[in-house]
Amino acid sequence: MRKFSIAGMAALAIAASTAVYANQGWFREHMQHMRLSPEDRAALVDARIAAVHAGLKLTPDQEKLWPPVEAAVRDFAKMRIDRASARMKAHDEAQDQQQTPPDPVARLRQRADDLAATSAALKKIADAADPLYKTLDDGQKRRLALLTHHGRRFGEGWRHRWMEHDGHDGGPGPDRDSGGPERL
């Protein structure tokens, strides 16, 4: 009886995993249509920047410090959008050609290059934002944290939204950089 139970459980597990695998193909195909285009991503960046700017309610003196912050955030967002677009294109081409998986060493090198570029862009944002941040009052700092999702327990802004996730196959999905001002 015990062998029959184990065999039955194994058969059930195999059947369930086959059904999940079959449905994953449908889900992926369905989600392909919901990918954000570069234009969509740029529009969302514009909206987030505008929301942060409006939410801060900057004084005239603080307003003078805003343009370098906005420029640095836009440069960072453009880099991320370009990177995501390149990943989506490479993923689509790889699927069309049914290529072998990429060389893991090449992927590590690319990841290192991406992290170095991200590091430089984040430093640029920090350098631009520092003079403005020092002038913010407690209410503005609180609104900044809310508007940029800092301290949120259940997610990290755009990186954890279900529409941008596409599995763990290295395909399109969230830019896997460290969290931070990309949420603007």
Side-chain angles (χ1 to χ4, degrees), residues 29-99:
E29 186 176 311
H30 179 70
M31 292 306 292
Q32 296 287 336
H33 301 291
M34 296 183 71
R35 280 189 189 169
L36 293 177
S37 70
E39 295 80 19
D40 293 338
R41 290 176 189 267
L44 289 172
V45 167
D46 290 343
R48 294 292 300 233
I49 290 171
V52 170
H53 187 227
L56 287 176
K57 299 185 183 297
L58 299 174
T59 66
D61 287 337
Q62 291 172 328
E63 195 67 48
K64 295 173 189 172
L65 301 171
W66 175 255
V69 176
E70 182 175 345
V73 170
R74 286 188 183 282
D75 289 347
F76 183 66
K78 182 183 181 325
M79 178 187 70
R80 290 175 56 89
I81 290 168
D82 292 347
R83 195 180 293 163
S85 297
R87 264 195 328 272
M88 281 193 291
K89 183 179 177 186
H91 183 261
D92 290 344
E93 288 173 0
Q95 276 191 330
D96 290 344
Q97 298 172 5
Q98 295 180 343
Q99 293 177 339

Side-chain angles (χ1 to χ4, degrees), residues 98-119:
Q98 295 180 343
Q99 293 177 339
T100 59
D103 175 11
V105 174
R107 287 178 56 195
L108 282 172
R109 284 192 176 108
Q110 182 61 51
R111 179 78 173 130
D113 292 344
D114 290 348
L115 287 171
T118 297
S119 174

Side-chain angles (χ1 to χ4, degrees), residues 132-149:
L132 175 62
Y133 189 79
K134 288 177 179 175
T135 69
L136 298 179
D137 63 31
D138 289 341
Q140 290 171 313
K141 288 178 182 178
R142 187 180 61 254
R143 288 191 301 274
L144 178 64
L146 288 171
L147 291 166
T148 58
H149 302 286

Side-chain angles (χ1 to χ4, degrees), residues 3-18:
K3 287 183 183 181
F4 180 72
S5 299
I6 293 172
M9 294 293 282
L12 183 61
I14 291 170
S17 66
T18 303

